[in-house]
Amino acid sequence: MSSSNTKHIFITGGVVSSLGKGITAASLANLLKGRGYNVQMQKLDPYLNVDPGTMSPFQHGEVFVTDDGAETDLDLGHYERFADITCTKNSNYTSGKIYSNVIARERRGGYLGGTVQVVPHITNEIKDAISSCREEGVDIVITEIGGTAGDIESLPYLEAIRQFRKDIGKKNGVFVHLTLLPYLKAAGEMKTKPAQQSANMLRGIGIVPDVLICRCEKPMEPEHFEKLSIFCNVEEEMIIEEQDVAHSVYEVPVELAKQGLDEKILRQLDLPVNKLDIKPWEDLIERVINCESFDEVEVAVVGKYTSLKDAYKSIYEAIDHAGISNKCHVKVRQVEAEDIENKGVEEVLGGVSAILVPGGFGDRGVEGKIEAIRYARENNIPFFGICLGMQCTVIEYSRNVAGLKDANSVEFNAETPFPVIDLMLEQKEVVDMGGTMRLGAYDCTLKEGTLAKKLYSSTQISERHRHRYEFNNKYQDVLEENGLVFSGVYTHGQLCEIVELPNHPYFIACQFHPEFKSRPLTAHPIFHGFIEAAVKKSKTK
Ligand code: GLN
């Protein structure tokens, strides 16, 4: 049901990409939540892929999965982590999705033979996408427009938000423009011209920003505010400085709060400026900043997209959260699984205090991951496997402990004599396979007396999935006889969700992706336990 008094904030970016629009949007959401408002967030991406599900992590970073099973842009991860909100499938639209909706409607005769055009049909579809976040109880929707002002492909979005704001009025919608003040070393000066030009570009489309947030390396001087105010047509007090932060991106909300960003926006939206409650967040920053006395542990992440740090964004964030909750500093050794195959496991993993094998697709590096798991198991090194990491755990145990020679996943070897990871019949009953995956949140029941149960302190959990293959239940008996414990199963069917080893300091692997639900203030229990075990291990070395 849609709510009629929902307010809107639109965030655009100028000058260059990678300005941190997602983090700025998420930080604003954090503050508005801290003022007692119920916030929903949304990213509109101008590219033509229908969703980021099929995009390479090398190009686009990780695919973030929502509870309701949407494969989305990784900015939604920032939204969830900073503002502790739950995004939905309405939180991410791409031009591909918008256009395919419009074209499908045209094919069904939905436009009664009229000429279908970018304006008004695509722009109306975008406006509907924005409205889709106006759910009951949502006070404020923050919509981030991907891309940079001036991009050809962003134009329909800018036109749509211009119209949207015109429809709802200035008291119900705010335009925030994030821009860059580059520092020219040779001139020893920070320049406002590019920011003026990006605001100019927006003005050409009919958007005058209400708030200008300036990303900069150095502090802004009064003359910068004056110039920007005059040339961008923005009130001086509505110009906010967003300097690079020293320690952690989680400092951004606190820095923005110091300049009253949230308060200024609430005033424009005619909403009460309730007291800001971000004490736990400030304490968190305190801990991040004053971490010199913390122990340092080194943890290996054995993957195949390690050259791009965004490819495992949520995993690194979850590790960070667990570092904070364990009061330790975690150094991550990013390991290419193939290096293990080529150089040997000891050479590549020697000396680490814990090993994590994340999710992935395709067979490149799989044997290296399996080797890393054997190494962790045999040497009592804390181990945590996620999704493909769990599938590799089962393969390793089947081959090296249960004697199922050449056991494999049918994803990597369709002819394997022991398909311990396969497409499951039961799975076909609970999800529509149709070439797709098990996506989104599923309930899981944990077995009493297991590590999983101890970590979660609950027998009922819900975690997010994104995979096609499953553990093949035919092999449960033989693996159990050989000591592998199946500690979590899908609550409404026979799907294995967690395996673990009891006689090991920490050895657990899950079919789901726990990293998506970790928060800075509440580290995920499996990550917390993992880093705790790593600290113990580092002390016994
Ligand atoms: N490739 C595996 C599957 O599809 C694992 C996927 C993943 O790790 N997300 O089941």
Side-chain angles (χ1 to χ4, degrees):
M1 203 204 281
S2 88
S3 161
S4 54
N5 20 9
T6 309
K7 310 273 183 170
H8 290 264
I9 299 171
F10 300 101
I11 305 204
T12 54
V15 184
V16 290
S17 59
S18 306
L19 269 185
K21 240 185 311 159
I23 285 174
T24 304
S27 299
L28 177 57
N30 171 306
L31 298 176
L32 295 171
K33 272 201 83 182
R35 298 258 184 202
Y37 289 99
N38 189 356
V39 182
Q40 186 49 280
M41 302 195 70
Q42 182 181 50
K43 169 106 190 258
L44 303 181
D45 276 313
Y47 51 74
L48 286 174
N49 304 63
V50 173
D51 64 43
T54 48
M55 293 171 91
S56 162
F58 277 126
Q59 261 195 34
H60 203 69
E62 82 176 1
V63 173
F64 189 81
V65 181
T66 57
D67 263 350
D68 62 1
E71 298 176 274
T72 70
D73 186 85
L74 57 74
D75 267 334
L76 273 71
H78 296 310
Y79 302 167
E80 292 209 350
R81 285 187 286 270
F82 275 75
D84 196 17
I85 56 173
T86 303
C87 290
T88 70
K89 58 182 183 336
N90 295 332
S91 305
N92 194 195
Y93 286 84
T94 66
S95 290
K97 198 179 210 172
I98 297 282
Y99 274 81
S100 51
N101 288 350
V102 170
I103 291 168
R105 187 170 314 136
E106 186 273 333
R107 294 288 85 185
R108 291 193 307 268
Y111 299 103
L112 304 173
T115 309
V116 182
Q117 294 175 296
V118 173
V119 185
H121 302 100
I122 294 296
T123 44
N124 281 349
E125 191 70 23
I126 295 171
K127 287 162 78 179
D128 287 349
I130 296 167
S131 296
S132 71
C133 280
R134 295 167 66 99
E135 279 160 14
E136 192 62 31
V138 173
D139 303 311
I140 304 169
V141 175
I142 301 181
T143 300
E144 175 191 346
I145 311 295
T148 308
D151 292 349
I152 292 175
E153 47 189 25
S154 302
L155 278 173
Y157 292 92
L158 298 177
E159 171 63 16
I161 62 171
R162 183 192 67 76
Q163 291 183 15
F164 200 100
R165 210 297 276 269
K166 185 177 164 295
D167 297 344
I168 60 177
K170 208 171 167 173
K171 289 252 168 263
N172 293 312
V174 174
F175 290 130
V176 176
H177 187 55
L178 183 70
T179 189
L180 176 74
L181 303 192
Y183 177 75
L184 291 192
K185 236 208 225 136
E189 259 186 277
M190 209 147 70
K191 293 296 195 183
T192 60
K193 184 76 81 191
Q196 294 175 32
Q197 286 172 338
S198 75
N200 227 333
M201 203 105 69
L202 287 179
R203 241 192 348 260
I205 306 161
I207 295 175
V208 178
D210 303 294
V211 179
L212 198 65
I213 303 183
C214 304
R215 292 281 290 107
C216 47
E217 281 174 61
K218 309 243 178 222
M220 286 168 65
E221 303 294 337
E223 55 167 318
H224 296 127
F225 288 91
E226 275 162 39
K227 259 195 194 162
L228 288 167
S229 173
I230 292 171
F231 292 109
C232 302
N233 207 15
V234 178
E235 297 299 323
E236 228 175 279
E237 58 151 34
M238 298 301 250
I239 301 174
I240 305 281
E241 165 187 309
E242 190 184 320
Q243 254 196 82
D244 294 347
V245 286
H247 307 275
S248 156
V249 287
Y250 296 129
E251 289 172 71
V252 176
V254 178
E255 291 306 312
L256 295 176
K258 282 184 193 155
Q259 297 174 71
L261 172 67
D262 50 329
E263 190 179 334
K264 290 170 183 176
I265 288 181
L266 288 172
R267 287 199 199 288
Q268 179 173 333
L269 291 174
D270 218 5
L271 287 171
V273 182
N274 311 323
K275 194 173 168 302
L276 177 62
D277 177 14
I278 51 163
K279 180 85 178 70
W281 198 268
E282 285 168 338
D283 293 346
L284 170 95
I285 300 304
E286 229 357 80
R287 250 204 263 184
V288 172
I289 294 176
N290 299 318
C291 63
E292 292 92 25
S293 60
F294 287 5
D295 293 327
E296 184 173 287
V297 286
E298 191 181 17
V299 169
V301 173
V302 182
K304 74 168 189 181
Y305 313 111
T306 46
S307 59
L308 182 81
K309 70 179 195 322
D310 277 354
Y312 299 113
K313 184 78 193 153
S314 294
I315 293 207
Y316 295 143
E317 291 296 316
I319 289 176
D320 251 14
H321 305 159
I324 297 169
S325 66
N326 279 289
K327 292 201 168 86
C328 76
H329 184 66
V330 188
K331 197 169 142 206
V332 175
R333 189 187 297 183
Q334 295 174 8
V335 172
E336 271 295 326
E338 274 181 319
D339 282 351
I340 297 178
E341 294 165 25
N342 301 331
K343 299 181 191 159
V345 67
E346 185 63 53
E347 162 84 15
V348 178
L349 290 177
V352 295
S353 294
I355 297 171
L356 187 151
V357 176
F361 293 83
D363 63 357
R364 189 169 65 78
V366 161
E367 291 303 322
K369 290 178 186 173
I370 293 172
E371 188 55 13
I373 297 166
R374 185 189 60 74
Y375 182 74
R377 182 176 57 76
E378 291 181 351
N379 294 288
N380 286 327
I381 299 169
F383 167 74
F384 181 9
I386 295 176
C387 207
L388 178 62
M390 175 198 130
Q391 298 175 354
C392 290
T393 304
V394 169
I395 296 169
E396 191 279 321
Y397 208 78
S398 304
R399 287 183 190 172
N400 300 330
V401 181
L404 306 177
K405 193 167 170 294
D406 295 329
N408 215 330
S409 162
V410 297
E411 181 181 3
F412 313 128
N413 177 8
E415 308 298 313
T416 170
F418 302 109
V420 288
I421 304 294
D422 201 348
L423 295 172
M424 293 304 290
L425 259 184
E426 294 90 331
Q427 180 189 359
K428 288 177 189 157
E429 287 162 18
V430 292
V431 289
D432 171 16
M433 283 295 292
T436 62
M437 292 191 266
R438 183 143 77 106
L439 281 168
Y442 282 77
D443 293 333
C444 171
T445 305
L446 304 181
K447 208 186 262 172
E448 289 294 347
T450 60
L451 172 63
K453 162 75 207 312
K454 191 168 145 232
L455 291 168
Y456 280 92
S457 334
S458 164
T459 48
Q460 275 307 315
I461 60 164
S462 166
E463 293 281 5
R464 298 180 193 170
H465 291 249
R466 179 173 182 250
H467 55 98
R468 194 164 283 122
Y469 297 88
E470 304 278 352
F471 171 68
N472 183 346
N473 295 323
K474 244 173 59 187
Y475 296 95
Q476 182 165 350
D477 289 347
V478 58
L479 291 176
E480 264 174 349
E481 281 157 23
N482 281 280
L484 193 66
V485 171
F486 291 80
S487 49
V489 284
Y490 173 46
T491 307
H492 312 289
Q494 251 322 300
L495 296 172
C496 163
E497 309 284 39
I498 310 179
V499 294
E500 59 184 72
L501 281 181
N503 298 319
H504 189 285
Y506 196 88
F507 191 99
I508 188 161
C510 50
Q511 186 56 79
F512 47 79
H513 288 273
E515 68 271 24
F516 295 139
K517 291 183 71 171
S518 183
R519 301 283 183 265
L521 296 175
T522 43
H524 190 282
I526 311 186
F527 279 91
H528 177 82
F530 177 61
I531 297 302
E532 187 178 43
V535 173
K536 261 193 214 145
K537 177 79 186 172
S538 74
K539 290 193 169 145
T540 59
K541 272 199 274 187

